Amino acid sequence: HNILADAWVNLNADGGNTFYSGIPPALLDPRKRWDKAFRSALECAPDIICFQEVGMAEVRALWCSQLARSYILVGHVENAETSAREPNGVLVLLRRGIVDPCYCHRSVQLA
Protein backbone atom coordinates (compact mmCIF):
# COMPACT_ATOMS: atom_id res chain seq x y z
CA HIS A 1 0.00 0.00 0.00
CA ASN A 2 1.26 3.46 -0.85
CA ILE A 3 -0.27 5.90 1.63
CA LEU A 4 1.30 9.11 0.25
CA ALA A 5 3.18 10.67 3.15
CA ASP A 6 1.69 13.95 4.27
CA ALA A 7 5.22 15.36 4.07
CA TRP A 8 4.87 15.07 0.28
CA VAL A 9 1.32 16.38 0.02
CA ASN A 10 2.27 19.44 2.07
CA LEU A 11 5.77 19.84 0.69
CA ASN A 12 5.06 23.50 -0.07
CA ALA A 13 2.71 23.93 2.92
CA ASP A 14 -0.20 24.48 0.52
CA GLY A 15 -2.30 21.38 1.16
CA GLY A 16 -1.10 19.74 -2.06
CA ASN A 17 -2.18 22.46 -4.47
CA THR A 18 1.24 22.66 -6.13
CA PHE A 19 1.75 19.00 -6.97
CA TYR A 20 -1.82 17.74 -6.90
CA SER A 21 -3.77 20.49 -8.64
CA GLY A 22 -7.06 19.24 -9.98
CA ILE A 23 -7.41 16.68 -7.17
CA PRO A 24 -10.32 17.49 -4.86
CA PRO A 25 -8.90 18.73 -1.52
CA ALA A 26 -10.96 16.15 0.38
CA LEU A 27 -8.93 13.40 -1.29
CA LEU A 28 -5.70 14.97 -0.03
CA ASP A 29 -6.85 15.09 3.60
CA PRO A 30 -4.37 12.89 5.48
CA ARG A 31 -6.86 11.37 7.91
CA LYS A 32 -9.15 10.29 5.08
CA ARG A 33 -6.22 8.80 3.11
CA TRP A 34 -4.92 6.97 6.16
CA ASP A 35 -8.35 5.68 7.14
CA LYS A 36 -8.94 4.30 3.65
CA ALA A 37 -5.48 2.68 3.42
CA PHE A 38 -5.65 1.20 6.93
CA ARG A 39 -9.20 -0.11 6.39
CA SER A 40 -8.19 -1.65 3.06
CA ALA A 41 -5.22 -3.40 4.67
CA LEU A 42 -7.38 -4.76 7.50
CA GLU A 43 -10.01 -6.02 5.06
CA CYS A 44 -7.36 -7.94 3.09
CA ALA A 45 -6.12 -9.48 6.36
CA PRO A 46 -2.59 -10.32 5.11
CA ASP A 47 0.08 -11.75 7.39
CA ILE A 48 2.57 -9.08 6.28
CA ILE A 49 1.87 -5.50 5.17
CA CYS A 50 4.35 -3.08 3.63
CA PHE A 51 3.32 0.56 3.58
CA GLN A 52 5.21 2.96 1.32
CA GLU A 53 5.64 6.69 1.88
CA VAL A 54 5.31 6.50 5.65
CA GLY A 55 6.38 9.65 7.49
CA MET A 56 6.31 10.39 11.20
CA ALA A 57 2.68 11.59 10.99
CA GLU A 58 1.69 8.27 9.39
CA VAL A 59 3.53 6.28 12.07
CA ARG A 60 1.60 8.16 14.77
CA ALA A 61 -1.68 7.47 12.94
CA LEU A 62 -0.80 3.78 12.58
CA TRP A 63 -0.06 3.47 16.31
CA CYS A 64 -3.55 4.85 17.05
CA SER A 65 -5.33 2.62 14.53
CA GLN A 66 -6.87 -0.83 14.68
CA LEU A 67 -3.83 -2.05 12.73
CA ALA A 68 -1.61 -1.56 15.80
CA ARG A 69 -3.87 -3.92 17.74
CA SER A 70 -3.69 -6.57 15.02
CA TYR A 71 -0.12 -6.08 13.76
CA ILE A 72 3.36 -5.45 15.13
CA LEU A 73 4.98 -2.42 13.47
CA VAL A 74 8.57 -3.29 12.52
CA GLY A 75 11.15 -2.45 9.92
CA HIS A 76 10.73 1.29 9.35
CA VAL A 77 13.34 2.07 6.70
CA GLU A 78 13.75 5.72 5.77
CA ASN A 79 14.36 6.83 2.21
CA ALA A 80 17.60 8.60 1.38
CA GLU A 81 17.46 12.25 2.46
CA THR A 82 14.92 14.17 0.41
CA SER A 83 13.38 17.63 0.27
CA ALA A 84 10.45 16.45 2.41
CA ARG A 85 9.97 18.21 5.74
CA GLU A 86 10.23 14.95 7.68
CA PRO A 87 11.81 11.55 7.13
CA ASN A 88 9.67 9.04 5.28
CA GLY A 89 10.08 5.57 3.86
CA VAL A 90 8.57 2.11 4.22
CA LEU A 91 7.13 0.36 7.25
CA VAL A 92 6.47 -3.36 7.64
CA LEU A 93 3.64 -4.71 9.78
CA LEU A 94 3.51 -8.35 10.95
CA ARG A 95 0.27 -10.01 12.03
CA ARG A 96 0.33 -10.63 15.77
CA GLY A 97 0.51 -14.31 16.68
CA ILE A 98 1.25 -15.41 13.10
CA VAL A 99 4.61 -13.92 12.11
CA ASP A 100 7.49 -14.00 14.58
CA PRO A 101 9.04 -10.51 14.81
CA CYS A 102 12.31 -11.99 16.14
CA TYR A 103 13.52 -13.23 12.75
CA CYS A 104 16.85 -11.99 11.39
CA HIS A 105 16.53 -9.46 8.61
CA ARG A 106 18.65 -6.91 6.87
CA SER A 107 17.59 -3.65 5.25
CA VAL A 108 19.45 -1.94 2.46
CA GLN A 109 19.09 1.69 1.40
CA LEU A 110 19.23 2.08 -2.35
CA ALA A 111 20.57 5.40 -3.58
Side-chain angles (χ1 to χ4, degrees), residues 1-109:
H1 285 70
N2 185 316
I3 59 176
L4 185 58
D6 199 47
W8 289 117
V9 173
N10 283 311
L11 184 64
N12 292 329
D14 65 358
N17 290 329
T18 300
F19 295 108
Y20 302 100
S21 62
I23 304 279
L27 295 177
L28 296 174
D29 178 83
R31 284 160 193 76
K32 290 179 183 176
R33 286 195 326 274
W34 301 335
D35 181 55
K36 185 172 184 169
F38 300 166
R39 194 170 358 114
S40 173
L42 274 172
E43 288 170 359
C44 293
D47 292 338
I48 300 172
I49 300 171
C50 180
F51 281 119
Q52 295 175 298
E53 293 200 12
V54 176
M56 300 318 298
E58 288 76 21
V59 171
R60 284 188 295 276
L62 276 163
W63 274 114
C64 296
S65 75
Q66 177 62 38
L67 281 170
R69 291 183 277 289
S70 302
Y71 291 84
I72 301 165
L73 284 65
V74 299
H76 188 245
V77 179
E78 293 179 8
N79 293 332
E81 190 172 329
T82 67
S83 58
R85 293 180 299 164
E86 68 179 21
N88 65 91
V90 298
L91 182 68
V92 175
L93 289 75
L94 306 175
R95 181 182 291 283
R96 292 182 183 278
I98 301 294
V99 181
D100 182 0
C102 296
Y103 68 94
C104 279
H105 68 281
R106 190 183 297 187
S107 63
V108 176
Q109 175 63 55

